[in-house]
Amino acid sequence: MKHFLTVEDMSANEIISLLDMTAYFRQNEPKISEQLFIANLFFEPSTRTKMSFTVAEKKLGLEILDFHAETSSVKKGESLYDTVKTFEAIGANALVIRHEDDYWAEELANVSIPIINAGAGKAAHPTQSLLDAYTIYEEFGYFEGLNIVIAGDIKHSRVAHSNIEMLTTLGANVFVTGAPEFIDETINVPYISFEQAIKHCDVLMLLRIQHERHNESFDISAYHKQYGLTIQREKSMKQNAIILHPAPINRGVEIDSSLVECGRSRIFKQMENGVFVRMAVLVNQLLQWGIINDYKIKKCANTKGEQPIRKVRTVN
Ligand code: CP
């Protein structure tokens, strides 16, 4: 049985299938009919990911085990492994984990309940990539040939690492841009200048400057001038190009504050989509592990009509 930890080993069809499940959950609100316990174990701060998992779990009728690292036995020195084994022992049916270590999942491979990665250090953030992909899919309906530029603090970004993997698998042309000191040399996609990126992209994915992961001081105004999306630069984007950002946003650093909610911004749409993506991932894991079967997902009273999952497109 496979935990949901990375996008690296996912095929295009597996990704599209999850996006189609997401579309289903946007239209339908099925509940899981039996009592199941989910714990959201966040060892790093989060607003969007933690709260959208919480909303997703509540919409599905799952019971959430309340955990706050700062008031738990983690403060007495309990390790991640022993915390996870404790939740497994007391009857949690699945775990959602965010932790600052890039490799936290390695020691949890044999845990007998599904684990969903909600962020691993600088390495991976698979549900963020899925919601980014869903937002692009909703906009364009395809990935093949789209020019997607990831701009900013690539080196410290788990979002960049997961998105490069996922969007390349889906057939998009993925590029990176930004200050050379933030480019990760291990990444195998072309680097283009910021001005080229702005003019030619269909999707501009801006990343937060991750001050908490930097050792050196940083000149915000110089960065904004050279690598920020300013009102002037936004004017040279293609007519139908969209702006994404995983947030939280440093307004006035990677993006001018007035562009955060501009016509081509999908930043809050991404957050909205995050709930349905996380419903899809949770249900997919519970189904794959045999914890639920199709019969246990009941439609609730407020279901908005019969909306079958769209036919899964085959991606070559
Ligand atoms: N995008 C994202 O992961 O946001 P949070 O850190 O608030 O969860």
Tab-separated table of all heavy atoms in Angstrom, residues 24 36 41 44-45 50 59 82 88 122 132 135-136 142 164 170 227 230 233 251 263:
chain	number	residue	atom	x	y	z
A	24	TYR	N	-15.208	16.310	-9.460
A	24	TYR	CA	-16.393	15.658	-8.903
A	24	TYR	C	-16.751	16.266	-7.538
A	24	TYR	O	-17.909	16.589	-7.264
A	24	TYR	CB	-16.124	14.157	-8.768
A	24	TYR	CG	-17.240	13.402	-8.096
A	24	TYR	CD1	-18.366	13.011	-8.813
A	24	TYR	CD2	-17.169	13.097	-6.738
A	24	TYR	CE1	-19.401	12.328	-8.180
A	24	TYR	CE2	-18.199	12.418	-6.112
A	24	TYR	CZ	-19.309	12.039	-6.826
A	24	TYR	OH	-20.331	11.379	-6.211
A	36	LEU	N	-14.587	7.440	11.037
A	36	LEU	CA	-13.155	7.347	10.742
A	36	LEU	C	-12.451	8.551	11.347
A	36	LEU	O	-12.975	9.669	11.303
A	36	LEU	CB	-12.910	7.319	9.226
A	36	LEU	CG	-13.406	6.090	8.458
A	36	LEU	CD1	-13.139	6.274	6.968
A	36	LEU	CD2	-12.751	4.809	8.949
A	41	LEU	N	-1.160	16.344	11.593
A	41	LEU	CA	0.026	16.545	12.428
A	41	LEU	C	0.920	17.596	11.772
A	41	LEU	O	1.699	17.286	10.869
A	41	LEU	CB	0.789	15.226	12.601
A	41	LEU	CG	-0.029	14.006	13.051
A	41	LEU	CD1	0.877	12.791	13.233
A	41	LEU	CD2	-0.769	14.299	14.355
A	44	GLU	N	5.076	22.364	11.479
A	44	GLU	CA	5.509	23.642	10.907
A	44	GLU	C	4.254	24.491	10.735
A	44	GLU	O	3.180	23.944	10.510
A	44	GLU	CB	6.066	23.398	9.481
A	44	GLU	CG	7.522	23.640	9.324
A	44	GLU	CD	7.902	23.736	7.844
A	44	GLU	OE1	7.049	23.604	6.953
A	44	GLU	OE2	9.079	23.960	7.612
A	45	PRO	N	4.393	25.824	10.777
A	45	PRO	CA	3.195	26.659	10.631
A	45	PRO	C	2.479	26.448	9.290
A	45	PRO	O	3.117	26.136	8.285
A	45	PRO	CB	3.747	28.087	10.706
A	45	PRO	CG	5.082	27.963	11.364
A	45	PRO	CD	5.609	26.615	11.001
A	50	LYS	N	-3.404	23.397	6.316
A	50	LYS	CA	-4.055	22.793	7.483
A	50	LYS	C	-5.560	23.056	7.461
A	50	LYS	O	-6.371	22.148	7.653
A	50	LYS	CB	-3.431	23.330	8.778
A	50	LYS	CG	-3.977	22.615	9.993
A	50	LYS	CD	-3.230	22.953	11.250
A	50	LYS	CE	-3.840	22.178	12.414
A	50	LYS	NZ	-3.258	22.545	13.698
A	59	LYS	N	-16.165	18.205	5.459
A	59	LYS	CA	-17.131	17.997	4.358
A	59	LYS	C	-17.350	16.505	4.127
A	59	LYS	O	-18.455	16.079	3.772
A	59	LYS	CB	-16.604	18.628	3.057
A	59	LYS	CG	-16.890	20.126	2.930
A	59	LYS	CD	-16.279	20.651	1.637
A	59	LYS	CE	-16.534	22.126	1.417
A	59	LYS	NZ	-17.880	22.422	0.941
A	82	ASP	N	7.545	8.236	17.033
A	82	ASP	CA	6.740	7.775	18.169
A	82	ASP	C	5.379	8.466	18.207
A	82	ASP	O	4.386	7.868	18.630
A	82	ASP	CB	7.506	7.977	19.483
A	82	ASP	CG	8.612	6.928	19.634
A	82	ASP	OD1	8.515	5.868	18.985
A	82	ASP	OD2	9.572	7.176	20.382
A	88	GLU	N	-1.339	5.761	15.349
A	88	GLU	CA	-1.684	4.468	14.737
A	88	GLU	C	-2.289	3.550	15.811
A	88	GLU	O	-3.328	2.922	15.601
A	88	GLU	CB	-0.396	3.864	14.147
A	88	GLU	CG	-0.565	2.559	13.407
A	88	GLU	CD	0.820	1.959	13.062
A	88	GLU	OE1	1.757	2.048	13.892
A	88	GLU	OE2	0.950	1.404	11.966
A	122	LYS	N	12.089	21.483	2.244
A	122	LYS	CA	12.218	22.150	0.944
A	122	LYS	C	11.929	21.170	-0.195
A	122	LYS	O	12.067	21.524	-1.362
A	122	LYS	CB	13.654	22.692	0.774
A	122	LYS	CG	14.087	23.674	1.845
A	122	LYS	CD	15.458	24.266	1.586
A	122	LYS	CE	16.617	23.269	1.714
A	122	LYS	NZ	16.755	22.603	3.016
A	132	ASP	N	-2.484	23.390	-7.798
A	132	ASP	CA	-1.990	24.281	-8.850
A	132	ASP	C	-2.358	23.697	-10.218
A	132	ASP	O	-2.846	24.414	-11.101
A	132	ASP	CB	-0.464	24.439	-8.741
A	132	ASP	CG	-0.057	25.186	-7.478
A	132	ASP	OD1	-0.905	25.898	-6.903
A	132	ASP	OD2	1.106	25.047	-7.055
A	135	THR	N	-6.013	24.121	-10.939
A	135	THR	CA	-6.354	25.509	-11.293
A	135	THR	C	-5.977	25.784	-12.757
A	135	THR	O	-6.721	26.446	-13.489
A	135	THR	CB	-5.643	26.483	-10.320
A	135	THR	OG1	-5.961	26.089	-8.983
A	135	THR	CG2	-6.078	27.920	-10.550
A	136	ILE	N	-4.856	25.233	-13.189
A	136	ILE	CA	-4.432	25.396	-14.592
A	136	ILE	C	-5.379	24.621	-15.518
A	136	ILE	O	-5.810	25.116	-16.565
A	136	ILE	CB	-2.964	24.905	-14.760
A	136	ILE	CG1	-2.014	25.800	-13.949
A	136	ILE	CG2	-2.558	24.864	-16.236
A	136	ILE	CD1	-0.606	25.242	-13.788
A	142	TYR	N	-6.072	21.762	-20.605
A	142	TYR	CA	-4.975	20.900	-21.077
A	142	TYR	C	-3.654	21.404	-20.494
A	142	TYR	O	-3.606	22.513	-19.914
A	142	TYR	CB	-4.895	20.903	-22.615
A	142	TYR	CG	-4.577	22.259	-23.210
A	142	TYR	CD1	-3.265	22.627	-23.501
A	142	TYR	CD2	-5.583	23.202	-23.444
A	142	TYR	CE1	-2.970	23.879	-24.018
A	142	TYR	CE2	-5.289	24.456	-23.952
A	142	TYR	CZ	-3.984	24.787	-24.236
A	142	TYR	OH	-3.682	26.027	-24.725
A	164	ILE	N	7.572	21.230	-10.613
A	164	ILE	CA	8.414	20.917	-11.777
A	164	ILE	C	8.178	19.464	-12.186
A	164	ILE	O	7.974	19.155	-13.367
A	164	ILE	CB	9.897	21.216	-11.477
A	164	ILE	CG1	10.099	22.739	-11.414
A	164	ILE	CG2	10.821	20.572	-12.515
A	164	ILE	CD1	11.419	23.184	-10.829
A	170	LEU	N	2.909	16.146	-16.915
A	170	LEU	CA	1.649	16.428	-17.619
A	170	LEU	C	1.864	17.023	-19.012
A	170	LEU	O	0.904	17.299	-19.727
A	170	LEU	CB	0.794	17.379	-16.768
A	170	LEU	CG	0.222	16.747	-15.489
A	170	LEU	CD1	-0.360	17.819	-14.564
A	170	LEU	CD2	-0.844	15.703	-15.816
A	227	TYR	N	13.097	41.642	-9.822
A	227	TYR	CA	12.429	40.340	-10.034
A	227	TYR	C	10.970	40.303	-9.572
A	227	TYR	O	10.359	39.237	-9.548
A	227	TYR	CB	13.207	39.237	-9.311
A	227	TYR	CG	14.621	39.078	-9.833
A	227	TYR	CD1	15.712	39.485	-9.066
A	227	TYR	CD2	14.857	38.534	-11.091
A	227	TYR	CE1	17.004	39.349	-9.546
A	227	TYR	CE2	16.148	38.398	-11.573
A	227	TYR	CZ	17.211	38.811	-10.802
A	227	TYR	OH	18.486	38.672	-11.277
A	230	THR	N	5.666	43.712	-11.235
A	230	THR	CA	5.180	45.085	-11.035
A	230	THR	C	3.990	45.330	-11.969
A	230	THR	O	3.756	44.555	-12.919
A	230	THR	CB	6.295	46.089	-11.375
A	230	THR	OG1	6.687	45.841	-12.737
A	230	THR	CG2	7.492	45.931	-10.457
A	233	ARG	N	5.228	45.501	-15.544
A	233	ARG	CA	5.554	44.187	-16.153
A	233	ARG	C	4.285	43.397	-16.463
A	233	ARG	O	4.213	42.698	-17.474
A	233	ARG	CB	6.454	43.372	-15.216
A	233	ARG	CG	7.874	43.916	-15.126
A	233	ARG	CD	8.782	42.936	-14.406
A	233	ARG	NE	10.152	43.421	-14.420
A	233	ARG	CZ	10.841	43.797	-13.343
A	233	ARG	NH1	10.291	43.715	-12.147
A	233	ARG	NH2	12.068	44.218	-13.468
A	251	ARG	N	3.587	40.704	-0.075
A	251	ARG	CA	3.112	41.805	-0.943
A	251	ARG	C	4.220	42.848	-1.084
A	251	ARG	O	4.874	43.193	-0.096
A	251	ARG	CB	1.854	42.440	-0.352
A	251	ARG	CG	0.614	41.557	-0.470
A	251	ARG	CD	-0.573	42.218	0.215
A	251	ARG	NE	-1.765	41.371	0.158
A	251	ARG	CZ	-2.821	41.602	-0.634
A	251	ARG	NH1	-2.834	42.628	-1.454
A	251	ARG	NH2	-3.867	40.790	-0.596
A	263	GLY	N	-7.297	40.875	-12.453
A	263	GLY	CA	-8.112	40.005	-13.309
A	263	GLY	C	-7.445	38.687	-13.671
A	263	GLY	O	-8.125	37.670	-13.841
